[in-house]
Every structure is written in structure tokens, then in C-alpha cells.
């Protein structure tokens, strides 16, 4: 099965700075990599995703990059704002229809 | 409103007392799944279902059962709950299954004493 590792586990940034979260996966057959954001007490929600035929995808202040050769992908948040404070999870779909999540990164944006 | 509904949202029970957490989606999604969330461990998949009458084990299925008799419902059954099943549980569904966005329910916080 798929094994997804996520780093760092906590990240504190000054408002306006950038935040980067990195994930690695083990199953070379995985081809879809979503990122979910979970605010305190809420459910996880998809914020961006990337498929294996694309190296980078951007949506306003967030971007995701994928390196299939190295089996790692990253989330980049620019110009961080207080509402970006949350837990972020990376995930990878394996070819046996399982979605495996990383352990999560708690991002705190300091005002 | 498109949604995934879980019940109960909060439950305190005792070891060995069978319980069921219901999950229903109104989006006609093929794929449904259960996850448990524990501090430092992220979201771990318990069971998933690709379609009616098709279920399969996730990464942590021990102590749980599921059924998918109707497309919209995917209940999670704890036949004999134990304290190590104290957790936050999420049901989720997806139109496409693999490579599709997962829509999560609001979560069910279960405490087993």
C-alpha cells in the first residue's frame, strides 16, 4: 500500500511570509495528489490537487509542485494570512483505490 | 444542499456495547469511505466502498465492519468497541472514486470508556 510522509509537523510563519509543506510517497503507480485543509473543529476540505501529468499547479496564493521521479510533492502558500492557520494534509491515491494521508502539518500564521 | 451527514456527532459509550455510526450522502456518489483521525497520525482509512455491495479494507479495519446496501448509505459498525477506538471519525464520499475530490462529513467524536 501507499505510505505518505509529511514534513514538518508544525510550521509557524510571520504574516506575509511563505509556507512550504513537503510530502513523499512510496507507490510509484500513484497519480493523483490532493491537499486538504482542516480548520479547528471543522472537516477537511480540498484546497488544491495535482495529477501526475502536471509538474506544477497554482491557484491564487497556493501552489503545488510534483516530482514523480523523486516521488515527492509540495504545497506552497505565499503571502500568508491569519486565515491560513489550519492543519494541512497531503494525500496520494494508490492504484488499489485507497487514499492515504500524511500525518498533517499545523500551520500557525503570526500577526 | 449537497452534503455528507454523519450521526451521532458525539458519543460516549462503554467497552463492548455495539454501536453504529451512520453516514449518508445525497450527491449520488459511487465511492464512500471511513477515516479515523488521531493526533499525530493524520487520517487513516478504515474501509471504503467503490459501489453498492462492494466494500474493501483500508489500512486500519480491525474492530470495524461496514455495509453498502444502498448507494447513499455507508454505516460504520463497532461490534465490540474498545478504548483504543476512541477517536474522531469521518465519513467521506467522491463522485469519481480514485482521482476524485473527497467530500467529508462533519465528523463523529467517539469515546469508549
Amino acid at each position: 500500500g501507499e505510505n505518505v510522509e509529511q514534513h514538518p509537523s508544525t510550521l509557524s510563519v510571520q504574516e506575509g511570509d511563505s509556507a512550504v509543506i513537503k510530502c513523499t510517497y512510496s507507490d510509484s503507480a500513484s497519480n493523483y495528489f490532493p491537499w486538504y485543509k482542516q480548520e479547528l473543529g471543522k472537516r477537511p476540505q480540498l484546497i488544491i490537487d495535482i495529477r501526475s501529468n502536471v509538474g506544477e499547479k497554482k491557484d491564487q496564493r497556493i501552489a503545488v509542485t510534483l516530482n514523480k521521479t523523486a516521488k515527492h510533492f509540495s504545497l506552497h502558500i505565499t503571502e500568508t494570512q491569519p486565515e491560513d492557520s489550519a492543519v494541512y494534509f497531503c494525500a496520494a491515491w494508490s492504484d488499489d483505490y485507497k487514499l492515504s494521508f500524511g500525518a498533517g502539518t499545523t500551520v500557525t500564521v503570526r500577526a | 444542499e449537497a452534503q455528507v451527514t454523519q450521526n451521532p456527532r458525539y458519543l460516549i459509550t462503554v467497552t463492548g456495547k455495539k454501536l453504529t455510526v451512520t453516514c449518508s450522502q445525497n450527491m449520488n456518489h459511487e465511492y464512500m469511505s471511513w477515516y479515523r483521525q488521531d493526533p499525530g497520525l493524520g487520517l487513516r482509512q478504515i474501509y471504503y466502498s467503490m459501489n453498492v455491495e462492494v466494500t474493501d479494507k483500508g489500512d486500519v479495519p480491525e474492530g470495524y465492519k461496514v455495509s453498502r446496501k444502498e448507494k447513499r448509505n455507508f454505516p460504520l459498525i463497532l461490534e465490540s468497541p474498545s478504548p483504543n477506538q476512541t477517536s474522531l471519525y469521518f465519513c467521506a464520499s467522491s463522485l469519481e472514486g480514485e482521482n476524485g475530490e473527497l467530500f467529508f462529513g462533519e465528523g463523529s467524536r467517539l469515546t469508549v470508556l
Side-chain angles (χ1 to χ4, degrees):
Chain A
E2 179 69 272
N3 181 41
V4 179
E5 295 193 358
Q6 183 172 347
H7 300 279
S9 57
T10 61
L11 181 59
S12 180
V13 296
Q14 190 70 37
E15 183 176 357
D17 288 349
S18 295
V20 180
I21 303 169
K22 298 182 179 182
C23 291
T24 61
Y25 62 97
S26 60
D27 187 352
S28 57
S30 293
N31 57 13
Y32 176 62
F33 307 92
W35 286 86
Y36 286 81
K37 176 183 180 182
Q38 185 180 28
E39 297 177 352
L40 189 63
K42 301 284 185 67
R43 73 191 86 187
Q45 290 188 297
L46 180 73
I47 55 170
I48 195 168
D49 56 17
I50 190 167
R51 299 180 191 275
S52 60
N53 58 347
V54 175
E56 183 174 358
K57 183 177 179 180
K58 189 173 182 179
D59 182 4
Q60 299 182 349
R61 295 186 298 106
I62 60 173
V64 59
T65 59
L66 171 65
N67 183 327
K68 282 222 75 178
T69 302
K71 290 190 283 187
H72 66 71
F73 55 114
S74 301
L75 178 72
H76 304 251
I77 308 173
T78 58
E79 301 173 20
T80 52
Q81 300 170 5
E83 54 263 37
D84 295 329
S85 295
V87 180
Y88 292 81
F89 293 99
C90 61
W93 277 99
S94 59
D95 61 359
D96 55 356
Y97 307 106
K98 294 180 184 178
L99 181 62
S100 297
F101 286 83
T105 298
T106 301
V107 174
T108 302
V109 180
R110 307 187 307 272
Chain B
E1 179 188 354
Q3 58 187 357
V4 179
T5 303
Q6 298 177 224
N7 281 295
R9 295 286 316 284
Y10 301 91
L11 180 63
I12 300 175
T13 189
V14 295
T15 299
K17 186 175 182 182
K18 180 180 178 180
L19 69 91
T20 299
V21 185
T22 63
C23 175
S24 181
Q25 50 93 5
N26 62 359
M27 296 171 280
N28 201 36
H29 284 175
E30 301 280 344
Y31 183 93
M32 297 187 74
S33 181
W34 277 101
Y35 289 87
R36 61 177 289 173
Q37 183 174 15
D38 302 288
L41 297 177
L43 292 151
R44 293 181 293 167
Q45 191 171 41
I46 303 171
Y47 270 93
Y48 64 97
S49 170
M50 295 296 294
N51 211 327
V52 175
E53 301 293 1
V54 180
T55 63
D56 218 333
K57 296 178 180 179
D59 295 321
V60 289
E62 296 77 19
Y64 305 95
K65 288 174 58 177
V66 293
S67 67
R68 188 90 183 273
K69 297 177 182 175
E70 305 165 284
K71 195 172 189 179
R72 62 184 292 127
N73 297 322
F74 191 46
L76 179 69
I77 304 157
L78 286 73
E79 292 272 4
S80 182
S82 62
N84 64 10
Q85 292 179 297
T86 293
S87 187
L88 177 60
Y89 291 87
F90 285 101
C91 180
S93 70
S94 170
L95 178 63
E96 302 167 37
E98 183 184 9
N99 297 341
E101 177 180 359
L102 269 185
F103 291 87
F104 285 83
E106 293 185 315
S108 297
R109 186 166 292 282
L110 171 65
T111 301
V112 183
L113 302 175

